[in-house]
Amino acid sequence: MSIVRELAKQAKAASRKLATLETAAKNDALLNVARQLLADRESILRANEIDLAKGKQAGLSPSLLDRLALTAARIEDMVEGIKQVVELADPVGQVMESWSRPNGLTIAKVRVPMGVVGMVYEARPNVTVDTCALCLKAGSAVLLRGSSNALNSNRALVASIKKGLEGTAIPVAAVQFVDTGDREAVDEMLRLNGLLDLVIPRGGAGLIRRVVETATVPVIETGVGNCHVYVDKEADPAMALDIILNAKCQRYGVCNAAETLLVHQEIAPSWLPGALQSLRDRGVEVRGCPAVLKIVPEVKLADERDWATEFLAPILAVKIVADLSEALDHIQTYGTGHSECIVTNNQDTAAEFLQQVDAAAVYHNASTRFTDGFQYGFGAEIGISTQKLHARGPMGLRELTSYKYVVRGTGQVRS
């Protein structure tokens, strides 16, 4: 039997016990994990330094190195995320709805754990901790397979998590880690029907596409964010500038960062020069359509690929559009269904945008950077789903559960 299958079998066995635990027992275990992560902070950071050094030697981009990097502050953020999950209501056992039938049967739709969740992810070691906290609180075991770039970091984090679970009600075997950079391990993991109940890929477009095309286990797609900010002719200029600077520049290598700026032709001549200069002052390379170059000649000419690219870097594509309709058409053509924003003081225009844009999150006068489990009040998130079955947007505890029907009778038989 392969190592990956054996790990999944251990997780499956542990999931049966985990599914029956009371909320208090799960919370106590998670708080113990949080304490252990702080106690092991120095060894985790040393392991991360090894990964960062290898990443630099391999020529990883600055945005990928940023995703990979751990600091004392980021470890504290992970711990805070665990504590927030502890404070959240436990979805397991919640009665979603109930009713009675004329024959006397009572039927309840009740949330239950997913079972065993497989997580395939790139670069970010914090995903290891977020995933464990959410899955364990939601009553599911987890099988983790991070990228080879973060192997040492993830190994140290999982060791600390398992140590934190020792002596608690949650079985240590509920957290399993595929400790290899071998890509064949991922392919095997994606076909563990009967052992894995769900696989969630979190990373770039290539990883997500590979998982979707390979898996026979159910998959929830997450993450690819070719996000747009549309500045309408009735936008407040200062607000529009603040929003695009935040959406693009607060952090480049994240899926909810803006990658394309669309600007109404009536506001473009007065607003674009200052806005693009502010972006360039912050190190952003601007790639504009021909109409943009007529107003700001020094920017680079965009090509067709730029409209479809999730840069994850200090690069922004900029296009001038005739009206809302053209902006909507552009988003429909190139968007990935992640996060889209309109900046306008016209409520009717905003309402049309919010209604017509087909994305997991749509914003009026607010940065796309808010598409985040923490910001939505979910605590740590396991990812941002860009599909529609069964979860969409930031995925918290409830999205990590399924349900079953509990039917109670008094001896009824069907005639």
Side-chain angles (χ1 to χ4, degrees), residues 68-140:
L68 176 59
L70 290 177
T71 63
R74 287 188 178 182
I75 292 176
E76 289 174 3
D77 286 344
M78 294 180 198
V79 169
E80 179 60 29
I82 294 174
K83 292 178 180 178
Q84 288 188 26
V85 170
V86 166
E87 293 299 317
L88 294 172
D90 188 348
V92 178
Q94 289 180 354
V95 178
M96 302 165 69
E97 55 183 317
S98 62
W99 61 96
S100 298
R101 298 295 297 148
N103 62 3
L105 289 177
T106 62
I107 303 172
K109 188 177 182 180
V110 182
R111 290 193 186 277
V112 296
M114 193 67 67
V116 181
V117 177
M119 193 75 182
V120 181
Y121 53 107
E122 292 178 334
R124 294 182 186 177
N126 67 289
V127 174
T128 300
V129 177
D130 291 349
T131 298
C132 289
L134 284 164
C135 287
L136 296 177
K137 176 69 179 264
S140 288

Side-chain angles (χ1 to χ4, degrees), residues 173-185:
V175 175
Q176 298 293 341
F177 176 55
V178 181
D179 193 353
T180 176
D182 188 350
R183 291 169 64 92
E184 291 184 4

